[in-house]
Amino acid sequence: MKPPATTHNEFLSRYADVRRGLWAYLLTITRDPTEADDLLQEVSTILWSRFDQWEGRGPFRNWCMVVARNVALQWIARQDRRRKLFSDKMVELLAEDPPAMTPTVQQQRLDALKQCVSELDEHPRQVIAMKYLQGMRAKDIARTLGRSLGSVEMALLRARRRLRACVNRRLGEGEPR
Amino acid sequence: MNEQHRMLILRVLEDQASPAEISRLEQLLAEQPELRAELSVQALDAALIRDALAEWGDSSMRAAPAVEAEPPHPRSWRRPAMAAACVLSVLLLGAWLAFGPGSSAPEPAYEPWTLHVRSALPGARLSRGGQILDLTVGLELRGGDELLSGQQPVTIGVGAQNTHITLGPDSRVDLATQEPELQLNLQSGSVLIDAQTQQPGRSISVRTPTMTMRVVGTRFAVSAGANETVLDVVEGQVRVQPRDDSAGSLLVRQGQRAVADRQGRTTVITFNPLPGLIVNGGFESGDLQGWQQTHHDTGLSLSTEAFAGRFAARMNGFVAKAGIEQLFVTEPGKLYRMQAHVRILRQAGHDWGSFRMLVSDFSTWDTLSETTVTAAELGPNWRPIEATFRAVDTRTRVTLRQFSGDNMQMDVLVDNIGIASGE
């Protein structure tokens, strides 16, 4: 049954709270931001079409994670078997884990990250933006910038580490243990 | 938390890990819930980084930080809003709401599509219910209208959604506005879609006989000819469904071109920058070294309001018409893409015309490709324009200038002119 129009806003509101977590889970499985985008589209499609079936039974996030898990498993089944991915069992296990952050903590972290991004040097910021905003693979970034794949991969790792350290510092959590 | 484990997680998430490392991590994850929590945090951080970059990029555009070098794609982080996760996911959801199985009934939450002609010149026509009307500025368009652009481009504004549709010269498009989808059936000619901020639940698609393209928050150009459909993605990304859909849909990203032949067979071409082929493309020498002037020099100057670096070229048609051109080395038969960033400061007058990037053959002056833009299409900010062409000689010319009647003036900044090879 198609959900009534009055549930549209309610769905969007609930979905906004879990969207990042779903994308993060799908990124973990695919290891590709663009693939994660595509799968999230598929997940959101299913969630919306079946929203009337949820009916408030159990946490909304758990229901979403079940759908995301199934979509992820279907995606794995379609992949080239030569590519090493997590096993189906691990995909299921990861879907059952509790959320890593509440929406409030996410917002605090996002605010800190905005500051930390502005503190990054030009080059690492460009590389990380090409990866996460443009959805480019490291090899495409390397080709575009005329640099080696190894140097781009290293730049990505360093930028991630610096951002992590910066966020922890700003939030008073100290360096990662 | 073991630092080695943290790095291993990061390497896996960044898709840099070997199969052995992935197996090792899986084993560790199965044994240690705290490692799964760390994996979850790092993946969520990736989502937050994306959102932070998008929001920071928007504010940085206003602050216009200087960039000393000329990075090949500086816009990749300067105008990231179209790719921001928060926008994107809503758009993706919106795309489904438009195309999914439950979308047959209209959503009352959506405003009806409202389309108005923003710019048009005599010769542009509209076929509505068997009647032929002139396309005039301000005219409201409806589903079922058939648009014929004539010899000059026609720009259409879509609601208040900061979306523009530009029909190229000699183009024919049928409009269909079945909520929540706006569909453009491109029969011939070309169309440029600039759709950065779609309302959630709305969708725009362009259909040609061989390809269907769905907006994913982006700017792209499509041309439909008798033998092929060509899609060029200028910003963002476009989901393409070829008529020959045996291979499923595909995502065409910024800087790529998709070509579908008559049977719907689709190939995607990626363009690779050729640094240095255009001399002084960012005007960072502080002068016009490498460029020839096409008109009186009084309208031509350098500006410090640069897109990247310190300088941009300014062609102020309110002073005098001005333009620049440069010859560059090409390989006959090879596919190239010329790109520049343009900002229109002012435009006035009621004559025909636009700002034009023209690529022409060195010896014959034959036009190989041209792109025209107006203030109505670009808005007040820096935007990329591009022209894709196949070289026919060992030297090719690029010309950037106002191309208009005498009663139209434009004040234009140009920067970051570069070229890429498609093969």
Side-chain angles (χ1 to χ4, degrees), chain B residues 253-290:
Chain B
R253 296 185 172 86
Q254 180 171 326
Q256 290 185 320
R257 158 176 283 202
V259 182
D261 66 13
R262 294 176 74 167
Q263 283 72 45
R265 290 185 296 252
T266 303
T267 54
V268 176
I269 301 166
T270 299
F271 288 81
N272 299 308
L274 298 169
L277 197 57
I278 297 295
V279 176
N280 197 22
F283 307 99
E284 293 308 290
S285 65
D287 56 23
L288 292 166
Q289 178 195 340

Side-chain angles (χ1 to χ4, degrees), chain A residues 67-113:
Chain A
V67 173
R69 179 199 66 193
N70 293 338
V71 167
L73 290 172
Q74 289 166 9
W75 178 83
I76 287 173
R78 296 195 300 267
Q79 299 310 299
D80 186 336
R81 293 189 177 186
R82 286 171 296 187
R83 189 180 178 210
K84 178 63 180 171
L85 297 165
F86 285 142
S87 67
D88 290 359
K89 189 176 173 185
M90 180 53 60
V91 170
E92 292 178 12
L93 188 60
L94 292 172
E96 291 167 5
D97 280 336
M101 299 174 205
T102 64
T104 306
V105 172
Q106 285 183 34
Q107 189 57 50
Q108 290 170 348
R109 213 167 170 81
L110 179 61
D111 292 341
L113 267 170

Side-chain angles (χ1 to χ4, degrees), chain B residues 131-171:
Chain B
Q131 282 190 315
I132 304 295
L133 308 173
D134 286 336
L135 269 182
T136 53
V137 173
L139 181 70
E140 182 171 355
L141 303 175
R142 306 172 191 160
D145 285 349
E146 180 183 346
L147 312 179
L148 302 156
S149 62
Q151 294 182 350
Q152 295 292 327
V154 170
T155 303
I156 299 162
V158 180
Q161 299 170 46
N162 197 24
T163 291
H164 297 94
I165 299 166
T166 302
L167 278 59
D170 301 319
S171 299

Side-chain angles (χ1 to χ4, degrees), chain A residues 13-75:
Chain A
S13 171
R14 290 183 179 278
Y15 178 73
D17 281 347
V18 300
R19 173 185 58 79
R20 280 198 196 102
L22 291 172
W23 186 85
Y25 171 73
L26 296 168
L27 177 71
T28 303
I29 309 303
T30 61
R31 307 196 297 267
D32 182 331
T34 304
E35 289 280 9
D37 284 338
D38 284 355
L39 292 190
L40 185 60
Q41 179 182 13
E42 199 175 332
V43 169
S44 64
T45 295
I46 297 168
L47 293 175
W48 169 239
S49 66
R50 299 180 187 168
F51 188 49
D52 60 325
Q53 296 172 15
W54 173 58
E55 292 179 341
R57 288 179 300 197
F60 182 68
R61 178 188 176 275
N62 291 4
W63 179 66
C64 294
M65 289 302 289
V66 169
V67 173
R69 179 199 66 193
N70 293 338
V71 167
L73 290 172
Q74 289 166 9
W75 178 83

Side-chain angles (χ1 to χ4, degrees), chain A residues 2 19 45 48 87 132 177, chain B residues 14 26 50 89 96-97 102:
Chain A
K2 181 177 169 57
R19 173 185 58 79
T45 295
W48 169 239
S87 67
Y132 286 102
R177 286 162 294 159
Chain B
E14 289 290 334
E26 178 155 353
R50 217 157 71 137
S89 66
W96 179 80
L97 290 171

